[in-house]
Amino acid sequence: MVKRATKPESGLLFDQADWDFDTLWRTFDAIEQVAREDLELDFYPNQIEIISSEQMLDAYSSIGMPLMYHHWSFGKHFLGHERLYRKGARGLAYEIVINSNPCISYCLEENTMPLQALVMAHAAFGHNHFFKSNHLFEQWTDADGILDYLEYARRFIASCEEKHGLEDVEATLDAAHSLMPHGVFRHRRPRQLSLREAEEQRQARIAAAEQNVYYLWNTIPDADEGQQSQDSGLLDRKREMQLPEENLLYFLEHYSPVLTSWQREILRIVRNIGQYFYPQKQTKVMNEGCACFVHYYILNKLHEQGRLSDGAMLEILHSHTNVLTQPDFDDPRFSGINPYALGFAMMEDIKRVCLNPTEEDREWFPDIAGSGDWRNVLKHAWANYRDESFIQQFLSPAVMRRFRMFAISDESSSRYCTVTGIHNSHGYRHLRDTLALDHDLSALEPDIQVADADLLGDRCLHLKAIRRNSVPLDADSKLATLKHVERLWGYKVEITEVDAHR
């Protein structure tokens, strides 16, 4: 649905559960007016698509992306989701939104009109604004080019299947998919030097070395000359290949002795898609919290203006509450803290602190307490933070008490669990630090780096796994990962685990 320029009329936007496209137009325009003029959001142009449940299941299977290339794992996921859906064991999402320009939102055709209003406000303006404004998405994703790139990837992999056979292509994709979590850049890479800049740096290094030579020592035989030569070769290799390298797929794409050009391009496609999704893994709480806050504010504003009926608002609030449910720790549904609930609660709390602060708020947030400028505070947070830093900066004692949070230490060396954080001044800070660490990807995912590879020697690839808090790699996952790396490298692969402080 391409946006058209119309001015919202007054009165109820709809008065029944069934929807038609005119009603969708009218409601979309009213939502956009509040998002643009009241919240002052910045968002990509919107493209709303109404899809069936089968199409929604298909979108699930291909990680929510249109134009995705073919792979057997997508069909497996489709059958799994469909079986649970048909049995009534799992519902479908109300929407799926894609970080692209224009921003594409898939809305389920089975939704009632109040739900369509909710998901348009949630996805087309909440998620859309977050995608466009957050620094991680700006740094690591290309909203303008992702759809064209997916089309290219699908055509390229289909042509590879025709030329090289389905089995060989699937084997390469299997290995690349398994390494996708280790195929992303976690830090911004330095700018590539031009040839002139590189030559100037080389000449400067030579001149500096000549000035620091001690000619007297050159006349003395060096017993460790062989060891120094070996160390020099290692340093040269590491400098040439920019080791250590955190992106395994990038290293294999550029330096594998056995991959053909089409296999290298497939690795490049998979790692680019993995990089596209990497910011979403770091901003789950913020992204969903932003979307929930935006849809809640916009729809309440429309209800205050008399544009939504009480019945429609009750249905919207029912769905809103279901999404934000936080089961207790002893509830069978409990699987940790609900990112929707935590994100929305923190953003509502920021608004409260800006408008009606307590003395406790003034102590914890002296810069924003009572400022009244909650819109800009939220937009600044949405643009400049990710989950762990957002929690570290903005989680308040009021939210901790509301969620009844406390911290537990479960050391393997101890027979007992110990409560280490309760509701007091010291405990609140410890709680905030602990919860922030639980959302830090560097503490949740293995950090495996390429340490060395002697391409002119035995060609053994040496990997280094950095332990956080002395936690070793899972033995089964370690063996499976090494098999996939060996398939793409073609020679022996060794991995060494070291503690983070080394």
Side-chain angles (χ1 to χ4, degrees):
M1 185 174 79
V2 181
K3 184 190 178 301
R4 64 179 183 184
T6 57
K7 185 176 181 180
E9 301 172 357
S10 59
L12 287 177
L13 296 169
F14 52 86
D15 57 4
Q16 56 185 4
D18 295 334
W19 59 267
D20 56 41
F21 285 103
D22 285 338
T23 308
L24 289 177
W25 280 121
R26 187 167 58 251
T27 305
F28 178 90
D29 290 336
I31 291 171
E32 182 183 35
Q33 185 179 43
V34 178
R36 191 182 299 276
E37 297 178 4
D38 189 331
L39 288 177
E40 300 177 353
L41 301 183
D42 183 23
F43 42 83
Y44 296 117
N46 276 295
Q47 179 176 322
I48 311 295
E49 298 190 9
I50 308 298
I51 63 175
S52 65
S53 57
E54 289 77 12
Q55 290 172 310
M56 184 68 80
L57 287 167
D58 186 57
Y60 275 12
S61 67
S62 58
I63 55 179
M65 299 300 293
L67 309 172
M68 200 64 176
Y69 55 79
H70 297 292
H71 188 252
W72 63 266
S73 63
F74 299 152
K76 178 182 177 181
H77 293 157
F78 177 87
L79 292 175
H81 290 306
E82 183 186 39
R83 187 178 297 112
L84 292 173
Y85 174 65
R86 299 304 177 197
K87 290 180 177 179
R90 174 180 297 174
L92 294 180
Y94 299 135
E95 44 75 31
I96 290 178
V97 59
I98 299 169
N99 172 28
S100 61
N101 184 13
C103 183
I104 301 175
S105 300
Y106 293 142
C107 297
L108 196 61
E109 67 177 358
E110 299 171 3
N111 292 342
T112 62
M113 189 56 224
L115 281 184
Q116 299 291 28
L118 185 151
V119 298
M120 285 192 293
H122 181 94
F125 297 97
H127 283 307
N128 190 344
H129 171 84
F130 193 85
F131 289 148
K132 189 175 182 181
S133 64
N134 184 264
H135 73 286
L136 291 174
F137 289 88
E138 181 181 1
Q139 175 179 338
W140 293 117
T141 66
D142 179 15
D144 293 329
I146 184 62
L147 297 179
D148 291 337
Y149 188 77
L150 289 174
E151 175 62 24
Y152 157 75
R154 185 171 68 170
R155 286 189 284 103
F156 178 82
I157 292 178
S159 68
C160 289
E161 291 173 344
E162 294 178 2
K163 294 178 183 178
H164 308 288
L166 187 62
E167 288 188 4
D168 289 343
V169 174
E170 281 195 350
T172 303
L173 279 174
D174 288 348
H177 283 179
S178 68
L179 297 175
M180 187 182 285
H182 312 292
V184 297
F185 293 115
R186 297 174 178 84
H187 308 91
R188 185 184 291 275
R189 296 177 69 83
R191 180 180 63 85
Q192 189 72 25
L193 296 178
S194 67
L195 293 177
R196 175 177 292 181
E197 290 172 329
E199 179 61 21
E200 290 175 352
Q201 283 196 4
R202 190 181 73 85
Q203 294 292 345
R205 284 197 300 269
I206 293 174
E210 290 176 348
Q211 291 176 1
N212 294 308
V213 168
Y214 292 92
Y215 292 98
L216 178 62
W217 289 103
N218 289 343
T219 63
I220 301 176
D222 189 354
D224 297 328
E225 183 177 350
Q227 180 65 37
Q228 290 178 359
S229 176
Q230 182 179 356
D231 293 343
S232 176
L234 175 60
L235 291 175
D236 289 341
R237 286 201 305 272
K238 288 189 173 185
R239 183 164 51 247
E240 181 180 350
M241 293 187 288
Q242 298 184 356
L243 299 180
E245 174 56 66
E246 64 179 352
N247 191 326
L248 294 189
L249 288 180
Y250 174 84
F251 183 86
L252 293 169
E253 173 198 338
H254 284 78
Y255 296 106
S256 171
V258 300
L259 293 181
T260 60
S261 60
W262 66 268
Q263 290 175 310
R264 297 181 196 277
E265 182 62 16
I266 286 181
L267 261 61
R268 182 172 180 268
I269 288 171
V270 172
R271 71 175 178 84
N272 283 339
I273 292 175
Q275 194 73 61
Y276 170 88
F277 283 106
Y278 188 61
Q280 298 193 27
K281 297 168 66 175
Q282 300 179 85
T283 57
K284 181 70 173 178
V285 171
M286 291 189 66
N287 201 343
E288 296 299 349
C290 171
C292 289
F293 179 90
V294 167
H295 83 234
Y296 184 77
Y297 181 87
I298 290 176
L299 296 176
N300 271 284
K301 180 65 67 173
L302 292 176
H303 179 248
E304 292 174 6
Q305 296 173 354
R307 312 300 306 282
L308 294 178
S309 66
D310 291 346
M313 198 62 199
L314 284 173
E315 182 176 348
I316 288 169
L317 291 175
H318 176 74
S319 299
H320 170 83
T321 304
N322 285 341
V323 169
L324 298 180
T325 297
Q326 175 58 62
D328 291 333
F329 74 95
D330 55 352
D331 191 299
R333 300 169 296 168
F334 180 79
S335 59
I337 294 180
N338 181 353
Y340 292 78
L342 179 62
F344 177 75
M346 289 182 64
M347 291 167 193
E348 282 285 293
D349 192 61
I350 289 172
K351 180 181 176 183
R352 177 194 63 80
V353 170
C354 291
L355 296 178
N356 300 300
T358 63
E359 287 303 316
E360 180 182 59
D361 298 325
R362 295 185 187 279
E363 177 185 350
W364 280 71
F365 307 105
D367 294 337
I368 66 172
S371 68
D373 192 17
W374 58 268
R375 290 175 177 82
N376 284 326
V377 172
L378 283 173
K379 285 190 287 186
H380 172 78
W382 294 336
N384 296 290
Y385 291 83
R386 55 187 177 187
D387 283 350
E388 70 269 21
S389 58
F390 178 68
I391 291 170
Q392 189 74 51
Q393 183 69 27
F394 291 105
L395 182 63
S396 71
V399 173
M400 292 184 233
R401 288 192 294 268
R402 176 181 168 186
F403 279 77
R404 293 180 287 180
M405 294 181 184
F406 58 93
I408 291 182
S409 174
D410 185 14
E411 296 290 342
S412 59
S413 58
S414 174
R415 297 176 56 191
Y416 305 101
C417 294
T418 305
V419 176
T420 57
I422 60 174
H423 293 175
N424 58 26
S425 180
H426 173 75
Y428 288 135
R429 286 175 171 79
H430 179 64
L431 280 169
R432 190 163 66 174
D433 293 342
T434 304
L435 187 60
L437 184 63
D438 283 346
H439 291 80
D440 184 357
L441 283 187
S442 66
L444 301 176
E445 294 185 345
D447 183 5
I448 301 176
Q449 302 177 5
V450 178
D452 185 29
D454 187 357
L455 297 177
L456 300 179
D458 60 6
R459 295 190 175 183
C460 179
L461 180 63
H462 299 275
L463 303 180
K464 178 174 66 175
I466 301 176
R467 294 174 174 173
R468 292 286 298 267
N469 300 320
S470 300
V471 178
L473 295 176
D474 177 75
D476 294 336
S477 298
K478 176 180 175 180
L479 290 175
T481 300
L482 286 178
K483 289 180 180 178
H484 288 297
V485 178
E486 287 177 347
R487 176 186 294 178
L488 297 175
W489 181 249
Y491 292 88
K492 185 178 179 181
V493 179
E494 295 180 346
I495 186 167
T496 304
E497 299 185 45
V498 299
D499 289 329
H501 63 271
R502 292 180 58 185

